[in-house]
Amino acid sequence: QVQLVESGGGLVQAGGSLRLSCRASKRTFSNYDMGWFRQTPGKEREFVAAIRWLGGSTLYADSVKGRFTISRDSAENTLYLQINSLKLEDTAVYSCAGGASGSLPIATSWRYWGQGTQVTVSS
């Protein structure tokens, strides 16, 4: 079982930046595809970004391309999401996911989930 714990969320003004972290409990973290999703009340989880364990290739939702950067530090068992140029519509609970089996942008493809960290963007 892999436990994922996010941190780094908060309240930030539009145009600002944040770096979210997701620490995994298991050493084999480096063998898992990892990703970030976000969710707002009343809506389904929305894919944000993912990074493959093999080769480190990345995938981003169109809405965040050029502003968000996903990365991982296998030595620290930690996944990151650098968020720049924040917009009001980026307000959401951001959750990390691990262990994909299937299409990365599909939430049901992922086996492990963190509890999420709130990001609130103010005008």
Side-chain angles (χ1 to χ4, degrees):
Q1 187 72 11
V2 176
Q3 290 185 325
L4 303 174
V5 180
E6 302 94 338
S7 61
L11 175 64
V12 63
Q13 284 192 322
S17 298
L18 280 175
R19 189 177 79 158
L20 306 184
S21 300
C22 171
R23 187 166 180 88
S25 63
K26 201 168 182 180
R27 282 184 171 271
T28 53
F29 159 84
S30 60
N31 293 337
Y32 290 118
D33 295 335
M34 299 294 297
W36 289 96
F37 284 74
R38 65 187 182 186
Q39 190 171 24
T40 54
K43 293 189 177 181
E44 293 187 355
R45 272 175 173 153
E46 176 192 14
F47 171 75
V48 174
I51 184 167
R52 291 283 192 186
W53 76 269
L54 184 61
S57 62
T58 57
L59 180 68
Y60 295 94
D62 288 343
S63 59
V64 307
K65 278 181 183 176
R67 299 189 298 121
F68 290 19
T69 303
I70 188 171
S71 62
R72 65 195 301 166
D73 184 336
S74 296
E76 296 293 328
N77 285 356
T78 302
L79 177 74
Y80 298 102
L81 186 68
Q82 178 68 41
I83 307 175
N84 298 327
S85 303
L86 276 158
K87 302 178 181 180
L88 295 177
E89 53 263 41
D90 293 323
T91 295
V93 174
Y94 285 72
S95 299
C96 67
S101 175
S103 177
L104 297 182
I106 306 300
T108 53
S109 296
W110 297 83
R111 183 175 182 183
Y112 303 110
W113 290 91
Q115 293 201 342
T117 185
Q118 176 72 46
V119 172
T120 303
V121 183
S122 65
S123 59

